[in-house]
Amino acid sequence: PLLIAACAWENGSTKFFLFCLAGMGHVCFPLISIPFLPRFYGADNLAATAEIAPVVEEVMKLLPLLFYLLVFEPKAEQIRITAVMVALSFATFENICYLIQNGAGHFPYFFRGIGTGAMHVICGAIVGGGLAYVWQRTWLKIAGTCGLLGAAITLHAIYNLLIAYGGAVQYTAYLLPVVILAAGKLIARRLTP
């Protein structure tokens, strides 16, 4: 449906849908590779959750953004929007795949979906906002991109560690990105004249 909508819409929104599809499509590699990488590296489930998954997922979300930056040379606001769209699409498709694999019968999966979606959007906003700044400065492009990727991976890993702990900590982890996102939105409104 998104591909059909991308062909039907006008006013440059085709790029919007293509990056939605890129975000969703890039979920496939982590879903396929993450179960096999722990065996390859001899890691347990906790190491896979906290060390391997955040790196693979954040790198996969960065790839369409780098393509966009290198090919289209967008303006700063377009970079931010595209980064959030890729992250949001990635989170949406990841949640769909998670529900298909684990079933939707348990109510806690609802909280997981909201928390994971918010966490991916925060990571996308960090990377997108930072890339909008560092790609305007030639000398900062590589180091800045690596630093932003490291920040997103770290936030993602902390989130995954809290979820893996279980119990009340897990539900706090689900709520934490939602609170951070809401606080960020309120702060942005107050700073905007």
Side-chain angles (χ1 to χ4, degrees), residues 2 5 83 99 131 159 185:
L2 282 176
L99 289 173
L131 287 177
Y159 177 79
K185 192 69 171 165

Side-chain angles (χ1 to χ4, degrees), residues 11 13 21 47-49 53 58 69 89 101 104-105 122-123 152 155-156:
N11 300 344
S13 59
L21 291 172
T49 300
E58 294 303 326
L69 289 165
S89 301
Q101 284 179 333
I122 291 169
C123 289
L155 179 65
H156 194 147

Side-chain angles (χ1 to χ4, degrees), residues 108 110-119 122 159 162-163 167-183:
F110 173 76
F111 294 113
R112 183 208 175 274
I114 291 173
T116 301
M119 182 272 306
I122 291 169
Y159 177 79
L162 292 172
I163 287 175
V169 174
Q170 181 179 15
Y171 290 102
T172 304
Y174 291 151
L175 188 60
L176 189 61
V178 176
V179 170
I180 292 171
L181 201 56

Side-chain angles (χ1 to χ4, degrees), residues 12 14 32 46 59 79 82-83 95 103 113 119 135 148 151 157 162 182 192-193:
T14 303
I32 293 168
L46 182 61
V59 167
I79 296 169
T82 303
N95 282 331
M119 182 272 306
W135 276 72
L148 292 165
L162 292 172
T192 306

